[in-house]
């Protein structure tokens, strides 16, 4: 426990129970520990409580400043939503009665077209950032719309409220049934360049652009190539959708006859890198998963959406067996819930449905799903050097959970230990149990204005 950062001062010290994942353990429960956060928002130490006096001398904090967690409280890493359409939040919870391609043209594109209006964008984007933060999403990988200024506004709001975010201005130049909702190829490239330049110029420490071709059916081959070049030249993240429905997979075969598979379309356009995350992947073949592994690209599993608009069932176990990085996504508004707790529950339901169909299928455990929502998500977004678990040197992105809040959704009974308390929170808890949220050491929930 040597103090190796001589300039850092300690901003917070917590004492109590810490729950997180490591590459080796899906859930590690650290009881009677102390965790220190420095004034840069990084985890400075995590040690046994018995060493607190020497820690306070080494790090120069007062033991009276320690925040003591109660018996029914714990800290866990902030959750990582690897796929969410901020622009679709206005109709989350509705419009789930059509399959994907009709759903896009009937509900999605007409709503997304409205983000030309910055007042509308400000209202929805403020609400989605606040709602997801309150529900424990400290990192979000957002789709915005084709509108550069509204997409920049989403980045500004994430920074202001204190959410780590990748923000994507959507790119699409074909196959939209809504004439006012698509761009010309040249406009799309110019606006993508402007979006990236302007967002990077803001120098938000935790908000970055992500290159965002909507999906292969919405993009010409030349647009996909341009976007691959922009992403590679600037070392940027890439996000899109892949193999969500069988109908879409068939459509891609007809639109890109020279490509061997849907994955091959993105591969040929240089869009598969270790900073790429592709949503859904329900119908990917083992051969395609092999390409994901080789390129270091990740899958975002969006189970609420997969079920709600009847797209498909992803076999997460198979993806993990292929050593492909995988995180969870809410996919609002194809998924009706903005909560990552819901994404975890739907992931378990989907895995259990696969076990019902095939008893040989090895069902995911709640511990594994906890890891997917935290460390797994950070790996899928290649942000695991910064967030995802409680490791010295990483940013302190954390939730303070209290399973015993007054009038809360959880009842406890004698003899229930920390693992049962965690399981109850994951299955029964909600935002009432998330009493504080920290991102990079800054307390962002409760909101300063409440
Ligand atoms: N594929 C292309 N666009 C979308 C979208 O907005 N939502 C979902 N679920 N799939 C898509
Ligand atoms: Zn999506």
């Amino acid at each position: 426990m040597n103090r190796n950062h001589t300039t850092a001062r300690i901003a917070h010290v917590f004492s109590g129970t810490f729950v997180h994942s490591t590459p080796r353990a899906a859930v590690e429960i650290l009881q009677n520990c102390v965790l220190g956060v420095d004034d840069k928002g990084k985890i400075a130490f995590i040690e046994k409580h018995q060493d607190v006096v020497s820690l306070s001398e080494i790090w120069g904090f007062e033991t009276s400043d320690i925040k003591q967690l109660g018996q029914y409280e714990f800290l866990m890493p902030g959750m990582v939503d690897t796929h969410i359409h901020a622009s679709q939040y206005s109709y989350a919870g509705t419009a789930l009665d059509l399959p994907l391609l009709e759903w896009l043209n009937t509900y999605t594109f007409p709503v997304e077209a409205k983000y030309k209006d910055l007042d509308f964008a400000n209202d929805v984007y403020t609400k989605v950032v606040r709602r997801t933060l309150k529900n424990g999403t400290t990192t979000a990988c957002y789709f915005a719309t084709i509108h550069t200024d509204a997409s920049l506004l989403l980045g500004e709001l994430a920074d202001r409220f204190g959410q780590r975010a990748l923000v994507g201005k959507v790119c699409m130049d074909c196959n939209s049934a809504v004439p006012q909702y698509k761009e010309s190829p040249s406009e799309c490239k110019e606006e993508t360049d402007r979006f990236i330049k302007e967002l990077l110029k803001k120098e938000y420490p935790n908000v970055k652009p992500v290159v965002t071709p909507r999906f292969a059916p919405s993009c010409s081959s030349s647009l996909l190539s341009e976007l691959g070049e922009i992403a590679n030249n600037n070392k940027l993240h890439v996000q899109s959708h892949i193999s969500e429905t069988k109908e879409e997979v068939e459509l891609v075969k007809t639109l890109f006859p020279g490509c061997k598979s849907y994955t091959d379309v993105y591969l040929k356009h240089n869009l598969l890198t270790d900073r790429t995350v592709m949503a859904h992947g329900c119908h990917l073949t083992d051969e395609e998963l092999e390409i994901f592994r080789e390129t270091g690209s990740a899958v975002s599993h969006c189970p609420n959406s997969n079920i709600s608009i009847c797209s498909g069932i992803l076999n997460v176990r198979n993806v993990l067996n292929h050593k492909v990085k995988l995180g969870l996504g809410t996919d609002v508004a194809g998924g009706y819930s903005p909560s990552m707790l819901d994404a975890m529950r739907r992931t378990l339901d989907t895995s259990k449905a696969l076990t019902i169909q095939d008893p040989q299928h090895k069902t995911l455990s709640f511990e594994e799903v906890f890891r997917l929502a935290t460390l797994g998500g950070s790996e899928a977004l290649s942000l695991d050097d910064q967030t995802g678990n409680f490791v010295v040197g990483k940013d302190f992105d954390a939730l303070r959970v209290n399973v015993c809040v007054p009038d809360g959704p959880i009842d406890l009974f004698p003899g229930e230990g920390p693992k049962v308390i965690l399981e109850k929170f994951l299955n029964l808890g909600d935002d009432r149990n998330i009493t504080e949220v920290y991102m990079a050491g800054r307390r962002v929930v409760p909101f300063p204005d409440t």
Side-chain angles (χ1 to χ4, degrees):
M1 65 159 109
N2 289 336
R3 179 178 180 173
N4 43 16
H5 328 254
T6 45
T7 53
R9 286 165 48 87
I10 293 300
H12 312 280
V13 182
F14 295 89
S15 173
T17 300
F18 304 87
V19 179
H20 75 154
S21 303
T22 68
R24 284 226 250 119
V27 168
E28 184 173 67
I29 297 176
L30 305 163
Q31 290 180 275
N32 302 316
C33 281
V34 279
L35 182 150
V37 182
D38 71 21
D39 56 358
K40 306 263 188 321
K42 296 196 183 298
I43 298 167
F45 59 81
I46 179 161
E47 301 282 350
K48 291 304 279 181
H49 188 272
Q50 68 211 31
D51 299 325
V52 71
V53 172
S54 58
L55 281 166
S56 72
E57 285 161 8
I58 294 168
W59 288 94
F61 63 86
E62 301 293 329
T63 50
S64 56
D65 290 339
I66 296 174
K67 297 176 180 73
Q68 180 65 49
L69 302 176
Q71 192 184 353
Y72 303 114
E73 287 189 294
F74 61 88
L75 284 192
M76 63 171 271
M79 293 183 280
V80 180
D81 188 342
T82 58
H83 185 79
I84 172 166
H85 296 260
S87 51
Q88 296 171 15
Y89 181 61
S90 63
Y91 66 98
T94 71
L96 300 167
D97 57 343
L98 291 176
L100 176 67
L101 302 177
E102 288 164 67
W103 178 85
L104 287 171
N105 282 318
T106 309
Y107 301 120
T108 304
F109 296 163
V111 169
E112 290 194 13
K114 297 202 293 187
Y115 285 75
K116 214 170 51 184
D117 174 355
L118 285 176
D119 290 333
F120 178 71
N122 187 52
D123 181 35
V124 183
Y125 287 165
T126 298
K127 286 177 176 148
V128 71
V129 171
R130 289 173 67 104
R131 177 69 61 194
T132 53
L133 263 181
K134 209 168 129 54
N135 278 278
T137 300
T138 50
T139 301
C141 187
Y142 283 122
F143 271 60
T145 61
I146 64 171
H147 310 93
T148 303
D149 294 316
S151 305
L152 290 167
L153 177 60
L154 175 58
E156 183 185 328
L157 290 165
D159 175 71
R160 190 188 312 156
F161 285 105
Q163 190 171 52
R164 189 183 301 281
L166 295 171
V167 178
K169 174 228 167 292
V170 173
C171 297
M172 48 194 277
D173 67 349
C174 14
N175 296 319
S176 168
V178 177
Q180 72 275 25
Y181 197 57
K182 73 167 186 216
E183 302 164 290
S184 70
S186 61
E187 204 181 355
C188 193
K189 184 189 175 299
E190 281 158 28
E191 286 299 294
T192 298
D193 281 337
R194 180 165 83 85
F195 172 70
I196 292 165
K197 205 171 283 159
E198 293 203 10
L199 189 57
L200 291 176
K201 202 168 72 193
K202 302 283 185 190
E203 296 190 354
Y204 301 134
N206 301 303
V207 177
K208 301 286 175 234
V210 45
V211 174
T212 305
R214 172 162 223 124
F215 69 156
S218 293
C219 300
S220 61
S221 176
S222 62
L223 176 58
L224 291 176
S225 296
E226 299 268 22
L227 296 177
E229 208 173 305
I230 292 174
N232 287 303
N233 289 346
N234 300 285
K235 300 263 167 296
L236 293 176
H237 284 80
V238 174
Q239 64 176 347
S240 191
H241 299 88
I242 195 165
S243 296
E244 182 174 356
T245 73
K246 287 190 173 157
E247 192 189 6
E248 172 203 3
V249 174
E250 289 308 309
L251 176 63
V252 169
K253 270 190 203 153
T254 63
L255 293 171
F256 295 88
C259 293
K260 279 200 290 235
S261 64
Y262 201 156
T263 301
D264 193 40
V265 175
Y266 294 131
L267 182 70
K268 286 225 164 74
H269 294 90
N270 296 320
L271 287 159
L272 295 184
T273 73
D274 62 0
R275 292 176 309 279
T276 296
V277 59
M278 289 284 166
H280 304 284
C282 305
H283 307 285
L284 290 172
T285 62
D286 287 354
E287 222 178 344
E288 289 179 281
L289 286 173
E290 199 49 41
I291 299 173
F292 270 72
R293 195 191 58 74
E294 282 163 13
T295 55
S297 299
V299 171
S300 170
H301 175 46
C302 304
N304 188 317
S305 172
N306 291 342
I307 304 279
S308 292
I309 54 173
C310 297
S311 300
I313 292 187
L314 176 67
N315 186 330
V316 170
R317 178 68 67 204
N318 189 44
V319 177
L320 296 177
N321 285 344
H322 279 82
K323 304 267 180 275
V324 172
K325 295 186 291 181
L326 184 138
L328 305 186
T330 58
D331 193 29
V332 164
Y336 58 76
S337 171
S339 162
M340 284 297 292
L341 288 170
D342 173 87
M344 282 194 250
R345 293 166 197 166
R346 301 288 83 83
T347 298
L348 284 168
D349 292 350
T350 298
S351 181
K352 288 173 182 177
L354 288 168
T355 303
I356 293 168
Q357 286 174 356
D358 171 13
Q360 301 296 318
H361 172 260
K362 187 163 177 261
T363 318
L364 295 170
S365 64
F366 83 83
E367 292 95 334
E368 287 177 293
V369 171
F370 172 82
R371 175 158 60 189
L372 296 178
T374 55
L375 185 61
S378 72
E379 289 167 354
L381 300 181
S382 286
L383 293 174
D384 51 312
D385 56 336
Q386 289 171 60
T387 188
N389 59 359
F390 296 138
V391 167
V392 170
K394 286 198 187 187
D395 286 0
F396 180 66
D397 291 0
L399 314 182
R400 182 171 183 164
V401 176
N402 183 349
V403 287
C404 267
V405 286
D407 287 326
I410 300 172
D411 289 310
L412 291 181
F413 296 91
E416 293 178 325
K419 195 140 173 185
V420 170
I421 286 177
L422 172 68
E423 189 176 6
K424 283 198 168 183
F425 169 63
L426 298 182
N427 281 318
L428 302 170
D430 63 31
D431 57 345
R432 287 169 290 181
N433 302 108
I434 302 174
T435 56
E436 294 182 333
V437 177
Y438 292 81
M439 194 280 296
R442 166 182 163 202
R443 197 178 80 160
V444 296
V445 172
F447 299 119
D449 58 4
T450 51

